[in-house]
Amino acid sequence: QKRCNDVLFAIAYYVHLGVILTVLLEHNPAEGDSKQHWNAKGVLKFVGIISAVAVVLSTLALGFMSAFAGLLVEIALITSLLVAAGVGGYGVYVTKWWMAGAGGVAFLAGFIFTCCIWKRIGFAAANLRTALTAIRTNLGLALMAYVWEAVAFAWTILWMDSAGAAMDGIGWGMIFLYLISFFWTQQVINNLQHTIVASVIGTWWYNPADANSFWDDGLNRAICHSTTLSFGSICFGSLLASIVQALKWLHRLSKDNDKCSCVSAMIDCCLSCLQEMIEYFNKWAYTFVGIHGDSYIQGGREAVSLFKKRGWVALIADGLAEAVMIFIKLAIAAICGIAGWYLVSYDDDIFEGIGISRDKDDMVGFGAGLLVGYLLAGIMMELVSSAINAVIVCFAEAPAEFEKNYPELCAEMLEAWKDAYPDECSDDFAAIED
């Protein structure tokens, strides 16, 4: 559908980028100026090293997923448990109890989750195998993920440069707006990739001839449509998610004592639930935006309508494959967090002039490394998650096309889905009447 959707949000996003650049230019004196108090080179060094670690780990993870698609779920779950245990054990070894606690909680949560979902692994594995097959057929998508990694890296440097200058020149009152800015662009990058991947998977599903090589016409059309006609819709949903993310981080940063800890925990829980609701709506809305060119709201409505017709409300809530992607992201982020802690430990001046005391800079280094690592790892893992979401939507819409074009994959998915959800899949995926 060739029409511009949600144009005002695209304009607002570009205006916001202009404001970020303006603040950077006005409050970041030239090198050698006596007014420049904060260590820009230190920030660039920190972000560069952590980004390199995240990109290397993400690349290895994607290659491993492609090689072991059938066993990926089991391997990912077990590996995530080992990484969490390793982080916790290392925290005990270096007597950093906040690190040990984070690793221990992650291990306990992962262990309980693994025990609960072990019987549904076949369902998730079938979805992953189909999604990875489509990605291998259209490897240009992986190249695009590297492009988004580079964009995210450049944005992180620009944002930290501008935020550092603003904190130094204006004050910490700007932190909430800068958190919104950071997460908005993060969400825009992720959702751009989401819509591009959904569009290519849709073409691979319906018209294999246009999405059957490294860089085919289907990918060109997807990039063009997502960065122009659908860009406003991408900015719309991304802004909603970024506001909640910023509120969460601001709330956590403001917790400096144990007073009213119960109320604080409730606020954090409410914000987390709101974020999950928005992101859950976004992932299906943007799948329809990519496949059909819908607006943001229309895409969400179409997704809800489709799954209600299929009776798949419970089935699509099964986030096992997506949870595996999250565990991998968290594992990479944890390693990047440790790398950030090491950098700060061996260079006390890396965050000089930003208002961080030296007795807390190791925790800030871990948190900043965690954030940067999660952002960059998230882009690569979103490639796979987006493909899985598109496969589920296409399977709901057009199972006959899937059986015609890819009979072996279709038979495998149908069997796995029936084993996991026999009631929801009892109709053998008959076509839906309009």
Side-chain angles (χ1 to χ4, degrees), residues 66-85:
S66 298
F68 299 97
L71 300 173
L72 177 62
V73 180
E74 295 99 319
I75 294 173
L77 289 172
I78 294 172
T79 302
S80 298
L81 291 175
L82 292 176
V83 170

PDB file of all heavy atoms in Angstrom, residues 66-85:
ATOM      1  N   SER A  66      22.705 -20.293  13.097  1.00  0.00           N
ATOM      2  CA  SER A  66      22.510 -20.822  11.745  1.00  0.00           C
ATOM      3  C   SER A  66      23.016 -22.260  11.627  1.00  0.00           C
ATOM      4  O   SER A  66      22.423 -23.083  10.921  1.00  0.00           O
ATOM      5  CB  SER A  66      23.234 -19.933  10.730  1.00  0.00           C
ATOM      6  OG  SER A  66      22.699 -18.629  10.739  1.00  0.00           O
ATOM      7  N   ALA A  67      24.104 -22.576  12.326  1.00  0.00           N
ATOM      8  CA  ALA A  67      24.693 -23.916  12.232  1.00  0.00           C
ATOM      9  C   ALA A  67      23.928 -24.951  13.048  1.00  0.00           C
ATOM     10  O   ALA A  67      23.902 -26.128  12.692  1.00  0.00           O
ATOM     11  CB  ALA A  67      26.159 -23.861  12.674  1.00  0.00           C
ATOM     12  N   PHE A  68      23.300 -24.514  14.134  1.00  0.00           N
ATOM     13  CA  PHE A  68      22.637 -25.458  15.042  1.00  0.00           C
ATOM     14  C   PHE A  68      21.188 -25.042  15.298  1.00  0.00           C
ATOM     15  O   PHE A  68      20.758 -24.951  16.444  1.00  0.00           O
ATOM     16  CB  PHE A  68      23.393 -25.539  16.372  1.00  0.00           C
ATOM     17  CG  PHE A  68      24.802 -26.028  16.239  1.00  0.00           C
ATOM     18  CD1 PHE A  68      25.848 -25.124  16.168  1.00  0.00           C
ATOM     19  CD2 PHE A  68      25.075 -27.376  16.165  1.00  0.00           C
ATOM     20  CE1 PHE A  68      27.156 -25.567  16.043  1.00  0.00           C
ATOM     21  CE2 PHE A  68      26.382 -27.834  16.040  1.00  0.00           C
ATOM     22  CZ  PHE A  68      27.427 -26.922  15.973  1.00  0.00           C
ATOM     23  N   ALA A  69      20.450 -24.777  14.215  1.00  0.00           N
ATOM     24  CA  ALA A  69      19.072 -24.306  14.355  1.00  0.00           C
ATOM     25  C   ALA A  69      18.200 -25.290  15.110  1.00  0.00           C
ATOM     26  O   ALA A  69      17.367 -24.903  15.938  1.00  0.00           O
ATOM     27  CB  ALA A  69      18.476 -24.021  12.978  1.00  0.00           C
ATOM     28  N   GLY A  70      18.362 -26.595  14.846  1.00  0.00           N
ATOM     29  CA  GLY A  70      17.515 -27.582  15.485  1.00  0.00           C
ATOM     30  C   GLY A  70      17.726 -27.706  16.983  1.00  0.00           C
ATOM     31  O   GLY A  70      16.790 -27.999  17.731  1.00  0.00           O
ATOM     32  N   LEU A  71      18.959 -27.485  17.447  1.00  0.00           N
ATOM     33  CA  LEU A  71      19.280 -27.621  18.867  1.00  0.00           C
ATOM     34  C   LEU A  71      19.452 -26.282  19.554  1.00  0.00           C
ATOM     35  O   LEU A  71      19.866 -26.233  20.722  1.00  0.00           O
ATOM     36  CB  LEU A  71      20.573 -28.438  19.027  1.00  0.00           C
ATOM     37  CG  LEU A  71      20.552 -29.861  18.465  1.00  0.00           C
ATOM     38  CD1 LEU A  71      21.942 -30.480  18.548  1.00  0.00           C
ATOM     39  CD2 LEU A  71      19.546 -30.716  19.219  1.00  0.00           C
ATOM     40  N   LEU A  72      19.123 -25.216  18.839  1.00  0.00           N
ATOM     41  CA  LEU A  72      19.437 -23.881  19.342  1.00  0.00           C
ATOM     42  C   LEU A  72      18.760 -23.578  20.669  1.00  0.00           C
ATOM     43  O   LEU A  72      19.368 -23.001  21.572  1.00  0.00           O
ATOM     44  CB  LEU A  72      19.037 -22.827  18.302  1.00  0.00           C
ATOM     45  CG  LEU A  72      19.243 -21.380  18.717  1.00  0.00           C
ATOM     46  CD1 LEU A  72      20.713 -21.095  18.989  1.00  0.00           C
ATOM     47  CD2 LEU A  72      18.719 -20.433  17.645  1.00  0.00           C
ATOM     48  N   VAL A  73      17.491 -23.959  20.794  1.00  0.00           N
ATOM     49  CA  VAL A  73      16.749 -23.604  22.000  1.00  0.00           C
ATOM     50  C   VAL A  73      17.387 -24.232  23.228  1.00  0.00           C
ATOM     51  O   VAL A  73      17.652 -23.556  24.233  1.00  0.00           O
ATOM     52  CB  VAL A  73      15.277 -24.035  21.880  1.00  0.00           C
ATOM     53  CG1 VAL A  73      14.515 -23.658  23.138  1.00  0.00           C
ATOM     54  CG2 VAL A  73      14.629 -23.383  20.663  1.00  0.00           C
ATOM     55  N   GLU A  74      17.674 -25.554  23.152  1.00  0.00           N
ATOM     56  CA  GLU A  74      18.295 -26.219  24.294  1.00  0.00           C
ATOM     57  C   GLU A  74      19.665 -25.626  24.604  1.00  0.00           C
ATOM     58  O   GLU A  74      19.994 -25.334  25.758  1.00  0.00           O
ATOM     59  CB  GLU A  74      18.439 -27.721  24.019  1.00  0.00           C
ATOM     60  CG  GLU A  74      17.123 -28.448  23.876  1.00  0.00           C
ATOM     61  CD  GLU A  74      16.750 -28.653  22.423  1.00  0.00           C
ATOM     62  OE1 GLU A  74      16.959 -27.704  21.632  1.00  0.00           O
ATOM     63  OE2 GLU A  74      16.253 -29.738  22.098  1.00  0.00           O
ATOM     64  N   ILE A  75      20.475 -25.431  23.557  1.00  0.00           N
ATOM     65  CA  ILE A  75      21.831 -24.915  23.753  1.00  0.00           C
ATOM     66  C   ILE A  75      21.796 -23.511  24.332  1.00  0.00           C
ATOM     67  O   ILE A  75      22.564 -23.177  25.245  1.00  0.00           O
ATOM     68  CB  ILE A  75      22.605 -24.929  22.422  1.00  0.00           C
ATOM     69  CG1 ILE A  75      22.826 -26.365  21.957  1.00  0.00           C
ATOM     70  CG2 ILE A  75      23.940 -24.202  22.568  1.00  0.00           C
ATOM     71  CD1 ILE A  75      23.422 -26.486  20.571  1.00  0.00           C
ATOM     72  N   ALA A  76      20.896 -22.673  23.798  1.00  0.00           N
ATOM     73  CA  ALA A  76      20.818 -21.292  24.268  1.00  0.00           C
ATOM     74  C   ALA A  76      20.402 -21.222  25.731  1.00  0.00           C
ATOM     75  O   ALA A  76      20.954 -20.433  26.512  1.00  0.00           O
ATOM     76  CB  ALA A  76      19.836 -20.496  23.406  1.00  0.00           C
ATOM     77  N   LEU A  77      19.431 -22.051  26.104  1.00  0.00           N
ATOM     78  CA  LEU A  77      18.976 -22.045  27.494  1.00  0.00           C
ATOM     79  C   LEU A  77      20.087 -22.473  28.451  1.00  0.00           C
ATOM     80  O   LEU A  77      20.334 -21.831  29.474  1.00  0.00           O
ATOM     81  CB  LEU A  77      17.762 -22.962  27.650  1.00  0.00           C
ATOM     82  CG  LEU A  77      16.458 -22.472  27.017  1.00  0.00           C
ATOM     83  CD1 LEU A  77      15.402 -23.571  27.080  1.00  0.00           C
ATOM     84  CD2 LEU A  77      15.959 -21.221  27.700  1.00  0.00           C
ATOM     85  N   ILE A  78      20.774 -23.546  28.085  1.00  0.00           N
ATOM     86  CA  ILE A  78      21.846 -24.049  28.960  1.00  0.00           C
ATOM     87  C   ILE A  78      23.006 -23.059  29.013  1.00  0.00           C
ATOM     88  O   ILE A  78      23.575 -22.787  30.082  1.00  0.00           O
ATOM     89  CB  ILE A  78      22.322 -25.430  28.472  1.00  0.00           C
ATOM     90  CG1 ILE A  78      21.189 -26.450  28.644  1.00  0.00           C
ATOM     91  CG2 ILE A  78      23.555 -25.879  29.237  1.00  0.00           C
ATOM     92  CD1 ILE A  78      21.464 -27.805  28.015  1.00  0.00           C
ATOM     93  N   THR A  79      23.366 -22.496  27.854  1.00  0.00           N
ATOM     94  CA  THR A  79      24.464 -21.526  27.812  1.00  0.00           C
ATOM     95  C   THR A  79      24.144 -20.293  28.638  1.00  0.00           C
ATOM     96  O   THR A  79      25.006 -19.757  29.354  1.00  0.00           O
ATOM     97  CB  THR A  79      24.764 -21.119  26.362  1.00  0.00           C
ATOM     98  OG1 THR A  79      25.095 -22.282  25.603  1.00  0.00           O
ATOM     99  CG2 THR A  79      25.924 -20.137  26.304  1.00  0.00           C
ATOM    100  N   SER A  80      22.902 -19.830  28.558  1.00  0.00           N
ATOM    101  CA  SER A  80      22.504 -18.659  29.331  1.00  0.00           C
ATOM    102  C   SER A  80      22.640 -18.917  30.824  1.00  0.00           C
ATOM    103  O   SER A  80      23.078 -18.042  31.584  1.00  0.00           O
ATOM    104  CB  SER A  80      21.060 -18.272  28.994  1.00  0.00           C
ATOM    105  OG  SER A  80      20.936 -17.918  27.642  1.00  0.00           O
ATOM    106  N   LEU A  81      22.276 -20.123  31.245  1.00  0.00           N
ATOM    107  CA  LEU A  81      22.427 -20.478  32.657  1.00  0.00           C
ATOM    108  C   LEU A  81      23.899 -20.474  33.068  1.00  0.00           C
ATOM    109  O   LEU A  81      24.263 -19.988  34.145  1.00  0.00           O
ATOM    110  CB  LEU A  81      21.810 -21.854  32.919  1.00  0.00           C
ATOM    111  CG  LEU A  81      20.284 -21.954  32.819  1.00  0.00           C
ATOM    112  CD1 LEU A  81      19.847 -23.404  32.979  1.00  0.00           C
ATOM    113  CD2 LEU A  81      19.621 -21.088  33.877  1.00  0.00           C
ATOM    114  N   LEU A  82      24.754 -21.001  32.198  1.00  0.00           N
ATOM    115  CA  LEU A  82      26.182 -21.049  32.514  1.00  0.00           C
ATOM    116  C   LEU A  82      26.786 -19.651  32.594  1.00  0.00           C
ATOM    117  O   LEU A  82      27.608 -19.362  33.478  1.00  0.00           O
ATOM    118  CB  LEU A  82      26.917 -21.888  31.462  1.00  0.00           C
ATOM    119  CG  LEU A  82      26.600 -23.391  31.447  1.00  0.00           C
ATOM    120  CD1 LEU A  82      27.320 -24.078  30.294  1.00  0.00           C
ATOM    121  CD2 LEU A  82      26.990 -24.033  32.775  1.00  0.00           C
ATOM    122  N   VAL A  83      26.371 -18.769  31.665  1.00  0.00           N
ATOM    123  CA  VAL A  83      26.892 -17.396  31.681  1.00  0.00           C
ATOM    124  C   VAL A  83      26.441 -16.671  32.945  1.00  0.00           C
ATOM    125  O   VAL A  83      27.231 -15.973  33.601  1.00  0.00           O
ATOM    126  CB  VAL A  83      26.442 -16.629  30.421  1.00  0.00           C
ATOM    127  CG1 VAL A  83      26.776 -15.143  30.550  1.00  0.00           C
ATOM    128  CG2 VAL A  83      27.123 -17.205  29.191  1.00  0.00           C
ATOM    129  N   ALA A  84      25.158 -16.833  33.284  1.00  0.00           N
ATOM    130  CA  ALA A  84      24.646 -16.188  34.497  1.00  0.00           C
ATOM    131  C   ALA A  84      25.391 -16.688  35.736  1.00  0.00           C
ATOM    132  O   ALA A  84      25.764 -15.904  36.618  1.00  0.00           O
ATOM    133  CB  ALA A  84      23.145 -16.445  34.647  1.00  0.00           C
ATOM    134  N   ALA A  85      25.626 -18.001  35.787  1.00  0.00           N
ATOM    135  CA  ALA A  85      26.373 -18.557  36.914  1.00  0.00           C
ATOM    136  C   ALA A  85      27.803 -18.032  36.931  1.00  0.00           C
ATOM    137  O   ALA A  85      28.366 -17.750  38.000  1.00  0.00           O
ATOM    138  CB  ALA A  85      26.377 -20.086  36.837  1.00  0.00           C
TER     139      ALA A  85
END
